[in-house]
Amino acid sequence: MARTLLVLDYPGRRAEAHVSDLGLDHHGYELLDLLHTPLPDEVTGREYTKVLADRHALEDREVTAVLAYCAAAPLAQELARHLVEAGHPPPPLIFFNATPSAADSVRDDYTTILEQLGDSLPGTPVTGLDLPQLLSAPHELIHAMSGELDAVVRQSLVDDLYDEEEITEATAQIVAVYLDLLRYQISAYHSTAPAWGGDAVNIVSAGHFFQSDWAGARTTRLVRVECTPAELLSRPETRDGVLAHLPSPTPTTTERCAP
């Protein structure tokens, strides 16, 4: 019977590879990708991961480990706490270029989105929001972002001479995509680094800036892979690093070993 690896790897990110590309399913593991649409509407790590746990009925699964890419690491930790509270043994967390979420990341990603959508003049503020102030109130923050994104997208479509019905429909679709990404990032920022009683492994590409112990983990192991960040999830050394920290699945009588 395959054992389940829970995967947190944001589907909208631009990367060369996904966690599923490591081929762990060929080694007897079932990968359950938790981050697919519709994504949770929550804006704190605790509530965001509770939605994921309930949606996928994780209480009833045998979970071997939780795998997370980059900024999803804080969410994996919150998810591990949910599993322990539901009676599971503490799962190991296996990270890829784990990044503790910071206020600068939320701010930079949001302003980048606005720059891509709008036509800000050089030297003018990209956003009218007081992001440092709003970051402490995630529900107010996402509401304010939604309003500003709506205005920016709507103006860009007006400039392109769409009619009102087309503008309204397209604006709603575009804003929804970006709000999914922003809720994910804000939830990671508003995570609590809980101690769940388990260990963490951080597999990092060359020069990755965070190589310290992971807050809340019982122990942290670091695995370095000499590659670029874009290559990390396609390298055999990364796969081997994962397998080295997982228990081997027990084959059933109906499974055949590879020759």
Side-chain angles (χ1 to χ4, degrees), residues 57 59 69 134 143-144 150 182-183 198 215-216 226 237 246 253:
E59 290 185 12
Y69 181 85
L134 286 170
H143 179 74
D150 186 274
L182 291 165
R183 288 191 194 96
E226 289 301 317
E237 303 98 304
L246 293 177
T253 56

Side-chain angles (χ1 to χ4, degrees), residues 26-39:
H26 300 309
H27 294 267
Y29 296 98
E30 174 195 11
L31 272 66
L32 180 60
D33 196 344
L34 303 183
L35 291 178
H36 54 74
T37 55
L39 293 172

Side-chain angles (χ1 to χ4, degrees), residues 6-8 34 45-46 48-54 58 63 66 73-85 91 93 194 196:
L6 305 181
V7 177
L8 292 163
L34 303 183
R46 177 73 166 161
Y48 195 97
T49 52
K50 185 179 187 302
V51 171
L52 296 178
D54 292 344
L58 297 185
V63 176
V66 184
L75 297 176
Q77 192 169 355
E78 293 280 3
L79 185 63
R81 177 169 64 171
H82 283 296
L83 293 171
V84 170
E85 290 174 348
L93 303 184
W196 75 102

Side-chain angles (χ1 to χ4, degrees), residues 113-152:
I113 289 170
L114 290 178
E115 288 170 346
Q116 293 172 345
L117 291 173
D119 296 313
S120 299
L121 296 174
T124 60
V126 177
T127 176
L129 305 183
D130 186 348
L131 294 179
Q133 177 68 28
L134 286 170
L135 271 169
S136 63
H139 292 92
E140 294 178 22
L141 173 60
I142 200 69
H143 179 74
M145 286 177 164
S146 176
E148 188 168 57
L149 284 169
D150 186 274
V152 170

Side-chain angles (χ1 to χ4, degrees), residues 67-77 93-101 200-205 208-215 220-223 232-233:
L67 279 56
Y69 181 85
C70 197
L75 297 176
Q77 192 169 355
L93 303 184
I94 300 180
F95 300 147
F96 308 94
N97 277 351
T99 305
S101 187
V201 179
N202 193 10
I203 303 176
V204 301
S205 58
H208 182 62
F209 75 95
F210 184 84
Q211 300 190 18
S212 304
D213 289 344
W214 191 261
T220 304
R221 300 177 184 178
L222 188 68
V223 178
L232 184 63
L233 295 180

